[in-house]
């Protein structure tokens, strides 16, 4: 296990470079991302096993996610708390090479298209998903999921944190889009999830871009989603109900004839193909393995990162257990407990022996570890 | 501030909120119903065996809830007085009611907590993935099975042991011991008992039990004089839908006139102890993901059940130890709980348990307890679930508890949804 400390900055996102087997980028934010600066680190894994940071940039607001460019080996796009999307080049110090200001609130995810490598997508708490290309000053298009502020199964009574009048109404998180991911199989398909538990699939070629929309986590917030790298119709989602759910998109009804998403009062949603349970708090990120169609990893507020096996079979659903999704569904294969705070970001290495992963979290640590050995 | 609120929404602030959270692997209650409770010996169920009570309840339950009986993978039935806890006849009852033979069956006996143990057994099996859906129940016919034959015997060698001998102490005497040891006067016990009668008879009169009771049809044998003036037995079919125990106008002053039942100087009598009764209750439990995928309405969430041991000679103090344990294990305090259903085996032990746990009067047995309603031994634990789920508001947390003969206590936590 290798480690690096992002002193003074709490980790939010981490990703292996698609061009160099020894490079990582880490998106961090000071003060747990609640207020203050952010910092983007480029990390080198040295031959002797130490990790060094040749360059890092400070930003005005916390960085919540990053994505390496798929066309330019030196560039990284970041998602920032002040609504900015920035592109950094690690041969250019001090400032980003591009700066896009369109989102009105925190940008929470950024993801590069693996097929049409000139595009990337961002998701923001302003309720919008935007598609960008590095060469243009403005976004290519904007997707807007329907706001569903009704779906919410639990009303949690929080202790008062402040007596100031303008802090009393926390506002709804229903329209916050937490994650948007381009499909690795089809260049124009985007998967997104939001605070009202909806997972949506978009086709940006189609005039009615919304292809599928369903309630994935029983009305609780859907924080993360990812495409299976081998099965084009299989996705995973995770949320504040602590579960990771595996879905076969072919088994989900399309939105009705009017193109509207499933009605807001509909809090149950379809049945997942598999359900992976074990996290003790909300699941913050799920990521399918690039090497194995049945393996995925997750991070959670329970301070662990877990490796899971999903043995459900989308081609022979009758094998998935006659009664429920639990039988023969696979399960947790390893728990990484080294982090001492919320674990937020994770990524699988594309390089070398399959199984190397990296995680980062609020304990200011980046760990590189072997998923086969936890 | 927005970011902090956002994060807070994704985490639960305290243990009570965490318990209220709805997760797909929760054990949830899809339905909890009971029969009316009949008076032992002379009530409507006096000629009905526990197996028929159970058959009628299960049939009515399946009809009422519309649940697909083939989903049930295990049936656990608590019972105290039947031979072998009713292992054979209650399996038969399960089949007779239309539950397919693919559902397994287990008979359970942990004395007065047997009904609760059935719930805990099924819930634990769901929690650890053995089953996805199970039916827990409790049933007792004290009319038919309570009597001299119910008194156990010990091998003389075992009886020599001081501790072992204590297990044979009659329940009434254990309450005398509790009252003496903790100085609980007859006056406060009578007051408590009168209060239980008042709450229960008010609840019966205003129909507060209507929702939890499934009316069932049974046969009663009645002696009638025929035309020639000779006695003959007539069998009548009756539909029973009302508790027979509660009566109006019971006051502490009236109870004060009753003679002590267990020793001449004692404080325990027929009016401040639980009644001898017949009844059955059942609770259908599922994993939440299954209940949601089938679209069954969810009544509540099972959280935790704990049992403790206490000295047999003061077995009534059981709840005073079981309740703190279950609250501590689930990270709750008495203030988080809205309703406590503590079985009133005797007024003395229930009062002691209430005082020991600092439970406010308003939260304890809002519709009366076993002193007024009756205590069909094996049924009680499941009966409390049917009752408490109608007393709690959605989101509120409830606790059920009881003392257990031979020196134990059990308590469980649930959330109404």
């Amino acid at each position: 296990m290798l480690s690096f400390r992002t002193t003074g900055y709490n980790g939010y996102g981490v990703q292996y470079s698609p061009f160099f087997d020894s490079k990582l980028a880490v998106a961090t934010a000071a003060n747990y991302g609640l207020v203050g600066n952010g910092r983007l680190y480029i990390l080198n894994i040295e031959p002797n096993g130490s990790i060094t940071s040749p360059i890092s940039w400070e930003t005005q607001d916390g960085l919540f996610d990053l994505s390496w460019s798929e066309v330019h080996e030196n560039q990284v796009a970041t998602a920032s708390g002040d609504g900015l999307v920035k592109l950094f080049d690690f041969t250019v110090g001090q400032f980003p090479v591009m700066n896009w200001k369109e989102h009105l609130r925190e940008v929470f995810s950024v993801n590069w298209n693996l097929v049409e490598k000139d595009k990337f997508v961002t998701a923001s708490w302003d309720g919008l998903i935007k598609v960008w290309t590095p060469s243009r000053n403005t976004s290519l298009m904007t997707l807007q999921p329907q706001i569903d502020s009704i779906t919410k199964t639990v009303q949690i009574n929080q202790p008062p944190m402040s007596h100031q009048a303008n802090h009393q109404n926390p506002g709804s998180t229903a329209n916050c889009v937490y994650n948007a991911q381009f499909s690795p199989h089809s260049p124009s398909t985007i998967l997104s999830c939001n605070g009202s538990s909806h997972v949506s699939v978009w086709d940006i070629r189609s005039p009615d871009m919304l292809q599928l929309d369903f309630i994935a986590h029983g009305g609780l917030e859907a924080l993360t989603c990812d495409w299976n790298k081998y099965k084009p119709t299989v996705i995973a989602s995770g949320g504040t109900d602590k579960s990771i759910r595996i879905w076969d998109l072919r088994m989900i009804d399309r939105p009705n004839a009017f193109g509207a998403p499933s009605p807001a009062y509909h809090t149950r949603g379809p049945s997942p193909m598999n359900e992976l349970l074990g996290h003790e708090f909300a699941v913050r990120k799920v990521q399918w393995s690039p090497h194995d169609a049945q393996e995925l990893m997750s991070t959670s507020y329970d301070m662990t990162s877990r490796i899971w096996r999903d043995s459900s079979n989308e081609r022979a659903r009758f094998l998935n257990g006659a009664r429920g999704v639990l039988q023969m569904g696979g399960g947790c294969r390893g728990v990484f407990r080294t982090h001492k705070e919320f674990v937020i970001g994770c990524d699988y290495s594309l390089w070398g022996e399959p199984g190397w992963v990296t995680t980062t979290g609020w304990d200011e640590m980046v760990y590189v570890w072997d998923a086969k050995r936890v | 501030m927005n970011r902090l609120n956002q994060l807070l929404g994704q985490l639960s602030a305290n243990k009570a909120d965490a318990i209220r959270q709805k997760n797909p692997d929760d054990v949830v209650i899809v339905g909890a119903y009971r029969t009316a409770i009949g008076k032992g010996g002379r009530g409507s169920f006096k000629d009905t065996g526990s197996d028929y009570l159970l058959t009628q309840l299960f049939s009515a339950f399946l009809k009422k809830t519309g649940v697909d009986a083939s989903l049930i993978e295990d049936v656990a039935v608590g019972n105290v007085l039947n031979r072998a806890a009713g292992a054979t006849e209650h399996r038969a009852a399960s089949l007779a009611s239309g539950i397919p033979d693919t559902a397994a069956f287990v008979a359970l006996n942990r004395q007065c907590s047997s009904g609760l143990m059935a719930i805990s057994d099924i819930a634990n099996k769901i929690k650890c993935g053995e089953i996805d859906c199970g039916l827990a129940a409790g049933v007792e016919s004290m009319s038919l099975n309570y009597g001299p034959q119910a008194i156990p015997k010990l091998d003389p060698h075992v009886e020599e042991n001081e501790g072992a001998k204590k297990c044979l102490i009659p329940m009434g005497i254990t309450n005398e011991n509790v009252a003496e040891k903790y100085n609980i006067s007859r006056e406060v016990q009578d007051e408590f008992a009168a209060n239980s009668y008042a709450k229960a008879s008010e609840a019966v009169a205003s129909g507060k039990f209507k929702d939890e009771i499934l009316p069932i049809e049974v046969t009663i044998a009645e002696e009638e004089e025929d035309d020639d003036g000779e006695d003959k037995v007539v069998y009548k079919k009756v539909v029973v839908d009302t508790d027979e125990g509660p009566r109006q106008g019971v006051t502490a002053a009236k109870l004060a006139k009753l003679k002590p039942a267990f020793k001449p100087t004692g404080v325990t009598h027929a009016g401040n102890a639980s009644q001898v009764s017949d009844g059955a209750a059942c609770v259908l439990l599922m994993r939440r993901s299954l209940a949601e995928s089938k679209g069954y309405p969810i009544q509540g969430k099972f959280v935790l059940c704990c049992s403790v041991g206490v000295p047999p000679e003061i077995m009534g103090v059981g709840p005073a130890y079981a309740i703190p344990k279950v609250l501590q294990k689930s990270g709750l305090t008495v203030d988080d709980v809205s309703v406590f259903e503590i079985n009133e085996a005797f007024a003395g032990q229930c009062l002691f348990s209430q005082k020991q746990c600092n439970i406010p009067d308003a939260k304890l047995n809002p519709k009366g307890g076993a002193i007024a309603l009756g205590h069909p031994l094996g049924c009680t634990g499941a009966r409390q679930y049917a009752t408490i789920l109608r007393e709690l508001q959605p989101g509120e947390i409830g606790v059920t508890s009881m003392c257990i003969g031979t020196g134990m206590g059990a308590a469980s936590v649930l959330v109404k949804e």
Side-chain angles (χ1 to χ4, degrees), chain B residues 79 156 166 212 218 242 260 289 292 331 390 405:
Chain B
N79 175 274
K166 288 180 188 165
E212 65 191 70
V218 294
T242 310
S289 51
E292 286 189 345
R390 274 85 184 175

Side-chain angles (χ1 to χ4, degrees), chain A residues 14-314:
Chain A
V14 60
Q15 198 196 358
Y16 274 95
S17 160
F19 293 98
F20 305 99
D21 63 356
S22 60
K23 275 197 197 307
L24 297 173
V26 190
T28 63
N31 306 314
Y32 305 101
L34 299 177
V35 61
N37 301 101
R39 187 172 278 278
L40 174 68
Y41 290 85
I42 302 294
L43 303 183
N44 274 341
I45 304 173
E46 305 293 346
N48 66 4
S50 66
I51 296 183
T52 56
S53 173
I55 186 166
S56 67
W57 300 265
E58 191 163 66
T59 55
Q60 270 296 312
D61 207 324
L63 297 180
F64 292 137
D65 199 14
L66 66 90
S67 181
W68 283 92
S69 165
E70 296 285 332
V71 276
H72 195 307
E73 73 271 24
N74 296 343
Q75 295 187 347
V76 180
T78 59
S80 175
D82 47 8
L84 292 178
V85 178
K86 294 166 191 264
L87 189 69
F88 290 92
D89 186 312
F90 67 69
T91 58
V92 180
Q94 254 188 320
F95 300 110
V97 292
M98 282 294 272
N99 218 343
W100 291 278
K101 178 150 184 59
E102 283 189 27
H103 282 302
L104 299 173
R105 284 188 66 191
E106 289 82 348
V107 188
F108 221 55
S109 96
V110 51
N111 171 254
W112 216 280
N113 192 323
L114 298 176
V115 189
E116 280 177 5
K117 299 186 176 188
D118 58 338
K119 290 198 191 76
F120 64 96
V121 59
T122 58
S124 163
W125 290 5
D126 62 8
L128 303 178
I129 299 165
K130 285 178 184 281
V131 179
W132 313 79
T133 188
S135 55
R136 288 180 51 158
N137 290 327
T138 54
S139 60
L140 293 173
M141 60 173 60
T142 299
L143 316 178
Q144 182 160 24
Q146 271 225 342
I147 297 171
D148 168 5
S149 50
I150 299 170
T151 301
K152 208 74 173 170
T153 56
V154 191
Q155 210 59 54
I156 295 175
N157 299 320
Q158 303 292 2
M161 288 186 298
S162 155
H163 296 291
Q164 292 178 41
N166 57 339
H167 291 165
Q168 293 310 306
N169 185 9
S172 166
T173 60
N175 65 335
C176 292
V177 188
Y178 288 117
N179 207 335
Q181 302 275 327
F182 267 116
S183 165
H185 309 280
S186 146
S188 57
T189 310
I190 293 172
L191 177 68
S192 72
C193 61
N194 72 8
S196 56
S197 209
H198 287 248
V199 167
S200 316
V201 178
W202 311 80
D203 185 341
I204 55 176
R205 294 170 306 191
S206 159
D208 282 335
M209 289 191 283
L210 184 63
Q211 298 296 301
L212 288 177
D213 183 278
F214 61 98
I215 291 167
H217 290 276
L220 297 179
E221 298 188 70
L223 297 177
T224 172
C225 52
D226 192 33
W227 294 93
N228 188 298
K229 307 296 183 279
Y230 291 86
K231 307 172 186 172
T233 62
V234 173
I235 63 157
S237 66
T240 54
D241 67 349
K242 310 178 211 174
S243 74
I244 298 165
R245 291 179 167 184
I246 314 292
W247 308 88
D248 183 351
L249 297 176
R250 294 173 303 182
M251 302 306 290
I252 289 160
D253 291 338
R254 292 176 59 85
N256 65 33
F258 306 103
S262 55
Y265 53 80
H266 190 308
T267 59
R268 283 211 180 95
S271 295
M273 187 164 66
N274 199 356
E275 187 167 66
L276 302 171
L277 301 171
H279 276 302
E280 291 161 35
F281 283 107
V283 179
R284 206 28 221 277
K285 185 170 170 73
V286 290
Q287 173 101 12
W288 286 95
S289 164
H291 305 288
D292 185 337
Q294 294 193 320
E295 188 180 301
L296 62 159
M297 76 182 294
S298 62
T299 64
S300 161
Y301 290 136
D302 70 3
M303 308 189 197
T304 67
S305 171
R306 294 177 193 232
I307 306 294
W308 306 86
R309 187 134 201 100
D310 158 45
S311 350
S312 61
N313 187 334
E314 84 287 1

Side-chain angles (χ1 to χ4, degrees), chain B residues 55-100:
Chain B
T55 308
Q56 291 291 75
L57 175 68
F58 281 176
S59 313
F61 180 86
L62 293 175
K63 202 168 148 199
K64 174 90 181 179
T65 58
V67 168
D68 175 6
S70 68
L71 287 175
I72 299 171
E73 289 170 81
D74 204 349
V75 180
V77 177
N79 175 274
V80 179
L81 297 173
N82 290 40
R83 223 178 123 254
T88 308
E89 61 270 33
H90 295 157
R91 162 73 167 163
S94 152
L95 298 180
S97 66
I99 296 171

Side-chain angles (χ1 to χ4, degrees), chain B residues 331-344:
Chain B
L332 298 171
T333 63
V334 169
D335 296 337
D336 293 324
V337 180
S338 303
V339 176
F340 288 83
E341 273 287 331
I342 303 180
N343 186 39
E344 298 166 353

Side-chain angles (χ1 to χ4, degrees), chain B residues 366-387:
Chain B
K367 294 195 286 199
I371 290 174
L373 288 169
H375 175 27
L377 310 175
C379 160
T380 293
R383 194 278 296 169
Q384 288 178 326
Y385 266 61
T387 305

